[in-house]
Amino acid sequence: MSWPPQSINKSLPDAKSVFFNLPKPTPCLPHVFLTAISLLFFISSTKRNPSFVKFLPFVSSDRRRFLKVPSMSHSGPPFATPQALSDWLKPRLPSDSLASWGVKPGTKNVHNLWLELSEGETTIVDSSPPLRTVNVVTVRVMGKDDLILVESRQQLSDGSFRDRFRPLSEKMKPNETVEEAVARAVKEELGSVIDPGSVRIVPGSYIKKLEERNSASYPGLPVRYVLHSVDAWVEGVPEEDFCTDEQEEYQDLNGTMELEKAVSVRKHFWKWVSSDSLRS
């Protein structure tokens, strides 16, 4: 079915012809009253019409909940290069913390943080220590027998592994909606084993919350996570434990080699667990 429906398009006359052919109206209170009632009825009927929801691709029927989610905007100090960012961080972080970035197994380096800032995925507040803020979408992929898919660990580009034990999660891009972030996250992390377009968000499952903790990726740099969580059905996910290859997270910026210097995820390892184990 095409959108908008052809029957609606054909019933609407050309706006300019109607405007110029109508005789000059004479102000009349009953006419004004009837016009207002008709307009109110039209608006109310379109809001109640479920077809306005079900034909939108990849949108939960509970649209109002998602419309309240603010999109993410980019702000923060400008850093022309990773070295400029490193120079800015040095007087603001314990020296031993910054020195461990990219060296301690499971951590990322200053090139990763610079890429996050350049892509608008992360903002930093100038404080002592600085506070990193990240919007994250979390997708609780639903399975049989009340099981939830979790990422048990990751293999990084430097050969190290880091434990995760959390549902599928991805940093949100600037101005990205929750629905768009869910589709992208599933494609990037599960795309090697499923077909695209196989994701359905569970209506009414959206939850937003804030968490602040020390960053495992960047020791010594506190982080505030703005978590946007949904439950979803994803077709084609294996029923046994499995692993997937990560699609390239960033494109190289302006022909630089910073992407090669960053620590990236190479493989994701997945397993099914009971929903109760995630609450403990």
Side-chain angles (χ1 to χ4, degrees):
M1 179 178 179
S2 60
W3 186 260
Q6 293 298 318
S7 60
I8 294 180
N9 287 341
K10 293 180 180 179
S11 65
L12 293 176
D14 182 71
K16 294 180 70 176
S17 64
V18 171
F19 179 83
F20 289 109
N21 293 329
L22 284 177
K24 185 176 181 179
T26 302
C28 179
L29 183 59
H31 289 172
V32 174
F33 178 77
L34 290 175
T35 301
I37 292 297
S38 300
L39 182 59
L40 179 61
F41 176 79
F42 175 77
I43 294 174
S44 300
S45 63
T46 57
K47 286 185 177 180
R48 290 194 298 266
N49 189 349
S51 66
F52 279 76
V53 175
K54 68 181 182 181
F55 290 107
L56 289 176
F58 196 67
V59 177
S60 162
S61 59
D62 188 9
R63 296 174 68 223
R64 293 174 297 173
R65 182 178 291 272
F66 283 107
L67 292 174
K68 295 179 181 179
V69 180
S71 59
M72 193 176 66
S73 61
H74 170 60
S75 63
F79 302 106
T81 64
Q83 185 59 52
L85 174 59
S86 179
D87 293 341
W88 185 84
L89 288 169
K90 283 178 181 178
R92 294 170 172 82
L93 292 179
S95 58
D96 56 339
S97 296
L98 186 58
S100 69
W101 291 13
V103 177
K104 181 180 178 181
T107 63
K108 296 181 179 181
N109 59 36
V110 71
H111 296 274
N112 291 94
L113 184 58
W114 183 80
L115 286 169
E116 291 179 15
L117 290 165
S118 300
E119 292 287 316
E121 296 177 340
T122 291
T123 60
I124 287 187
V125 175
D126 189 359
S127 56
S128 295
L131 177 64
R132 170 175 167 252
T133 300
V134 188
N135 277 261
V136 176
V137 66
T138 298
V139 187
R140 289 165 45 95
V141 178
M142 314 295 290
K144 295 180 179 180
D145 302 322
D146 199 30
L147 296 179
I148 303 294
L149 185 68
V150 299
E151 184 181 24
S152 58
R153 61 176 181 162
Q154 296 175 341
Q155 182 181 8
L156 305 181
S157 57
D158 61 4
S160 64
F161 290 84
R162 63 176 180 175
D163 294 332
R164 301 284 283 175
F165 199 76
R166 66 185 64 176
L168 190 156
S169 302
E170 190 71 33
K171 294 184 292 293
M172 295 180 69
K173 301 290 186 181
N175 303 315
E176 191 174 42
T177 66
V178 171
E179 299 97 321
E180 292 168 344
V182 168
R184 180 178 57 82
V186 171
K187 179 181 178 181
E188 288 182 2
E189 301 200 3
L190 299 179
S192 61
V193 296
I194 66 169
D195 295 327
S198 57
V199 182
R200 292 179 295 152
I201 294 176
V202 177
S205 64
Y206 173 76
I207 298 175
K208 178 182 177 181
K209 64 178 181 178
L210 300 178
E211 287 186 4
E212 289 191 13
R213 56 177 180 261
N214 291 323
S215 174
S217 298
Y218 306 105
L221 181 64
V223 60
R224 174 186 293 135
Y225 290 110
V226 184
L227 301 175
H228 305 271
S229 175
V230 299
D231 296 344
W233 296 293
V234 180
E235 298 177 6
V237 179
E239 297 182 4
E240 305 294 333
D241 295 353
F242 63 98
C243 68
T244 57
D245 296 322
E246 168 78 8
Q247 295 188 12
E248 200 65 64
E249 186 175 5
Y250 298 106
Q251 298 297 322
D252 206 357
L253 300 175
N254 301 322
T256 66
M257 302 300 291
E258 307 306 334
L259 184 60
E260 296 182 3
K261 299 175 184 177
V263 178
S264 58
V265 178
R266 288 289 185 258
K267 286 185 178 294
H268 303 269
F269 296 84
W270 305 93
K271 64 186 301 183
W272 295 96
V273 301
S274 67
S275 56
D276 291 338
S277 65
L278 291 177
R279 301 189 188 102
S280 59

